[in-house]
Amino acid sequence: LAKDTVNLGGLTIKSQTINLAKKESSSFASDPIDGLMGLGFDTITTVAGIKTPVDNLISQGLISSPVYGVWLGKAKNGGGGEYLFGGSNPNHYTGALTTVPVDNSQGFWGITVGSLKTGTTSVTGSFSGILDTGTTLLLFTQSIADKVAAQYGASDNGDGTYSINCDTSNLEPLNFSINGAQFQVPVDSLIFEQDGSTCYASFGYAGLDFAILGDVFLKNNYVIFNQKVPQVQIAKSV
């Protein structure tokens, strides 16, 4: 462990504890990302008692409100994105914000999804999930993932991923009901990547008993995370 001054977009956090790696995997060594800045709660820090950057932003008075707004730009619109610590940016969402209670008992941003549909066809009722900017895909329990895959004619690759038809023109969006409001993963986000003639779906499973609403969900929906209540507010991204 070390302590350093961390500059986060012009906010100067003093005496931030950071973990220093002694070894790194080959994938990390070649990745454009140099490390992780955890945005979960401090109950899951790798060393007990360490305060997260957001904890310190709050305690050091660097932000006046204990929130941050997350907007992830889509590649087809030029990519980019914005994390706004201490507030939110209405230029990046449209419509009303829906306030959703958060269960942080496991250290994550846990929410309840009321139902899931493909278009107007019901896939499943209520299930638990976490909002996680650090997860790329939309991960379900395997049973829910299989039901979603069946609706889209996708085939299980046996490794948590699915192959899906590269032509999505006849498919319907994924519709999430969360605290009475509706949020979408549109058809243009159902494919994660194409390798030759094979397309990999943006949804999958990871052997977990809860879902992870990762970047596939978050690039389509603006989220304001409030660490103090705790709660989130969600609206459709612009």
Side-chain angles (χ1 to χ4, degrees):
L1 299 178
K3 284 189 176 181
D4 205 345
T5 298
V6 173
N7 185 312
L8 184 60
L11 300 174
T12 303
I13 306 171
K14 297 177 180 178
S15 298
Q16 176 64 53
T17 302
I18 55 177
N19 287 7
L20 303 177
K22 294 182 178 179
K23 296 181 180 179
E24 65 179 3
S25 68
S26 58
S27 60
F28 231 128
S30 61
D31 200 285
I33 297 166
D34 295 319
L36 301 175
M37 192 187 84
L39 291 174
F41 293 86
D42 56 25
T43 51
I44 53 169
T45 54
T46 51
V47 178
I50 299 303
K51 295 302 178 186
T52 70
V54 176
D55 288 338
N56 286 328
L57 285 173
I58 296 168
S59 66
Q60 293 177 23
L62 297 171
I63 55 178
S64 57
S65 182
V67 305
Y68 55 91
V70 174
W71 174 71
L72 301 182
K74 299 175 77 167
K76 71 172 188 175
N77 299 329
E82 175 188 273
Y83 287 68
L84 186 60
F85 291 92
S88 56
N89 187 342
N91 292 325
H92 289 317
Y93 64 86
T94 182
L97 289 162
T98 297
T99 300
V100 182
V102 162
D103 176 0
N104 67 348
S105 60
Q106 302 300 312
F108 301 114
W109 292 89
I111 63 169
T112 298
V113 177
S115 67
L116 181 66
K117 296 179 179 180
T118 54
T120 57
T121 303
S122 178
V123 175
T124 186
S126 178
F127 61 93
S128 298
I130 67 170
L131 294 161
D132 182 29
T133 56
T135 296
T136 303
L137 300 183
L138 181 58
L139 299 178
F140 298 111
T141 63
Q142 186 164 1
S143 63
I144 293 177
D146 284 342
K147 291 176 182 177
V148 172
Q151 292 295 322
Y152 290 133
S155 56
D156 191 341
N157 296 317
D159 60 358
T161 69
Y162 293 87
S163 296
I164 191 170
N165 194 317
C166 294
D167 179 6
T168 60
S169 59
N170 292 322
L171 300 184
E172 298 281 347
L174 264 177
N175 292 314
F176 295 75
S177 176
I178 302 174
N179 210 23
Q182 307 303 311
F183 302 98
Q184 261 192 10
V185 169
V187 172
D188 68 13
S189 294
L190 292 178
I191 292 176
F192 170 58
E193 65 180 5
Q194 183 168 353
D195 182 11
S197 60
T198 302
C199 284
Y200 294 95
S202 61
F203 55 85
Y205 57 90
L208 302 171
D209 61 0
F210 57 90
I212 303 180
L213 279 61
D215 299 339
V216 170
F217 180 85
L218 295 168
K219 69 183 178 179
N220 292 295
N221 298 283
Y222 190 89
V223 180
I224 304 168
F225 296 81
N226 185 316
Q227 186 165 301
K228 285 292 189 183
V229 175
Q231 67 181 27
V232 292
Q233 291 180 293
I234 312 175
K236 180 182 178 182
S237 283
V238 172

